Amino acid sequence: MSYSTRERASESVSRISKEIPEDGINFKDFLELIGEQGGLLSCLVLVAPFLFPVSIPGSSLPFGLAILLINVGIILNRHPFIPRPIMEYMISQNNMLKILNGMSTVLKKFERVTKPRLTVLAGKENMLYVNSSIMIFCSFLLMLPLPVPLTDFLPAYSMLFLALGTIERDGYLIVAGYSLAIVTTVYFLLIAILGLAGIKLVLSFLGINF
């Protein structure tokens, strides 16, 4: 699953947004639209609903599972097997355009500063496996049905940095993804230790109210 360097990720996402049917699109047709541009670009789009205030009820499980299986496919160097119910999961045109347009805007901002650097973290095959393994872990956390603030936001941004950093061969962005993955892990451990009430108390102390 290779990524075409002929256009930036934001340009690919903008182009795909023009091809979304009026009656919506399912995962199968969406992946066909992305085509040869690779699993990492798919992951960028699939994390988008958790970066913006776009409400797609029950989306963390199908989106998270799709990201997980795509990265398993990257590690195994084969087309990912995604269960039929996930492939048939429908997203309305309105929600899909919100996702794609929002992600395109974010990518354009990152692309102003991203460039190949510290490429040892992005250009070597063994690091691709490491990065995909971390994304698998974060996608698993994303799927957990926890009614706790930031449990979608944190793993989603970690995966965003890892996927975009790998696409752009920007090791600095990948380091940011590693760092956020560590923060995410600590946060989920705190949830397990303190429980929902404890987390809300801590966030309230920090001035974050939900």
Side-chain angles (χ1 to χ4, degrees):
M1 286 176 282
S2 61
Y3 174 74
S4 173
T5 57
R6 287 177 292 180
E7 61 181 358
R8 303 299 294 270
S10 61
E11 294 171 341
S12 298
V13 170
S14 295
R15 176 177 51 77
I16 291 168
S17 69
K18 298 174 183 177
E19 302 180 42
I20 304 299
E22 290 185 3
D23 57 348
I25 192 168
N26 58 27
F27 273 150
K28 180 178 181 295
D29 293 337
F30 170 71
L31 293 175
E32 288 179 356
L33 276 183
I34 291 179
E36 291 298 318
Q37 298 187 67
L40 291 174
L41 183 60
S42 302
C43 292
L44 284 179
V45 176
L46 292 171
V47 300
F50 313 103
L51 310 178
F52 318 117
V54 179
S55 178
I56 306 179
S59 61
S60 61
L61 178 58
F63 279 55
L65 182 57
I67 294 170
L68 187 154
L69 293 173
I70 287 169
N71 279 279
V72 169
I74 290 173
I75 291 174
L76 298 178
N77 194 29
R78 63 175 61 180
H79 190 78
F81 170 75
I82 300 178
R84 183 175 177 180
I86 302 298
M87 293 295 275
E88 294 179 349
Y89 184 87
M90 287 292 300
I91 308 170
S92 69
Q93 184 191 51
N94 182 54
N95 279 336
M96 199 65 189
L97 291 180
K98 286 180 181 178
I99 292 170
L100 294 172
N101 292 336
M103 179 53 77
S104 180
T105 300
V106 169
L107 291 175
K108 286 177 182 177
K109 292 178 180 178
F110 275 112
E111 287 169 355
R112 294 173 187 167
V113 296
T114 56
K115 59 183 178 181
R117 50 191 172 180
L118 200 60
T119 55
V120 67
L121 297 179
K124 295 186 178 296
E125 187 175 7
N126 60 333
M127 292 310 302
L128 179 63
Y129 297 155
V130 170
N131 297 341
S132 286
S133 296
I134 295 174
M135 290 182 68
I136 288 171
F137 174 70
C138 288
S139 64
F140 172 75
L141 296 180
L142 180 69
M143 288 189 288
L144 295 177
L146 299 176
V148 183
L150 305 180
T151 52
D152 289 344
F153 181 86
L154 289 175
Y157 265 98
S158 177
M159 290 187 283
L160 168 67
F161 293 153
L162 289 169
L164 184 59
T166 302
I167 289 172
E168 298 290 339
R169 294 171 57 83
D170 190 337
Y172 286 10
L173 206 56
I174 291 174
V175 169
Y178 293 162
S179 302
L180 197 52
I182 293 172
V183 171
T184 302
T185 302
V186 171
Y187 184 68
F188 274 76
L189 287 174
L190 287 175
I191 292 173
I193 295 169
L194 301 178
L196 176 58
I199 289 296
K200 287 186 174 180
L201 182 62
V202 171
L203 292 177
S204 178
F205 178 76
L206 296 174
I208 303 174
N209 297 310
F210 291 88

